[in-house]
Amino acid sequence: MSELPTYVLEREFDAPREMVWRTWTEPELLARWYGPGAETIIHELNVTPGGLWLNEMKWGGKSNYERVEYTKVDPPALLVWLHSTANSEWEASANSMMPDWPLVLLTTVTFTEKDGKTQLRLTWQPHEASAAELACFAAAIGGMDKGWASGMEILTELLAELQD
């Protein structure tokens, strides 16, 4: 089998690892940077293996839902989850704007501290995806940095604020 298409995001934050971890695991902090340009409403955040993160992003009078199920949690070093677009009942569902988008993405986020700074590495891979889903994801990788980069800018500002 060929290698799965993988999106990789790497960032360095001038903040201790425990603080960066908090911005990914505390609802009031996560809602401030996740989903830039939208109102982010976290309906549930249980950062434990088997726990759920149920996320709603509102913009333009519409709501988009996401369902995350954590599979591995190793504070403050590792988060692994299965990420899906969801319907309003929090069931994984096809992306209405991109019908061939993978139903589930395996997300891995590592937090490594070096010299008082935190190296963050996020990877996204289609999980148990069809050939059409793999092709759709591979074609979209080039544009994924735009959304993630906006969130990372807000996260950088949030971390600076938390250290003041």
Side-chain angles (χ1 to χ4, degrees):
M1 185 178 152
S2 61
E3 183 103 0
L4 285 175
T6 303
Y7 169 72
V8 178
L9 170 79
E10 294 179 317
R11 291 290 189 277
E12 179 179 270
F13 297 103
D14 190 9
R17 180 168 70 163
E18 288 76 13
M19 183 177 291
V20 178
W21 175 266
R22 286 181 49 217
T23 65
W24 286 74
T25 59
E26 294 181 14
E28 62 280 356
L29 297 176
L30 182 58
R32 289 182 58 189
W33 70 266
Y34 188 84
E39 177 189 359
T40 299
I41 302 165
I42 297 174
H43 291 267
E44 182 176 333
L45 185 64
N46 178 6
V47 187
T48 59
L52 297 176
W53 167 18
L54 303 177
N55 193 60
E56 177 182 1
M57 290 185 288
K58 295 174 105 170
W59 70 89
K62 295 182 180 181
S63 286
N64 290 299
Y65 302 93
E66 294 177 328
R67 174 192 168 93
V68 164
E69 182 177 345
Y70 292 96
T71 59
K72 292 182 187 173
V73 177
D74 182 15
L78 176 70
L79 291 170
V80 181
W81 69 74
L82 298 173
H83 193 126
S84 302
T85 301
N87 61 26
S88 60
E89 303 299 315
W90 306 109
E91 300 161 330
S93 63
N95 184 322
S96 61
M97 296 175 64
M98 296 176 73
D100 285 332
W101 185 254
L103 188 61
V104 180
L105 294 173
L106 174 63
T107 308
T108 303
V109 186
T110 58
F111 305 81
T112 308
E113 190 159 344
K114 183 177 179 184
D115 302 324
K117 296 183 180 192
T118 301
Q119 313 290 323
L120 179 128
R121 185 173 198 270
L122 175 143
T123 60
W124 252 3
Q125 290 182 315
H127 181 70
E128 300 177 354
S130 69
E133 291 172 333
L134 292 171
C136 179
F137 185 83
I141 286 176
M144 289 181 195
D145 274 340
K146 185 178 181 187
W148 277 109
S150 297
M152 294 297 103
E153 288 173 24
I154 297 167
L155 180 53
T156 298
E157 293 168 6
L158 174 60
L159 289 163
E161 177 188 315
L162 291 172
Q163 294 182 86
D164 282 342

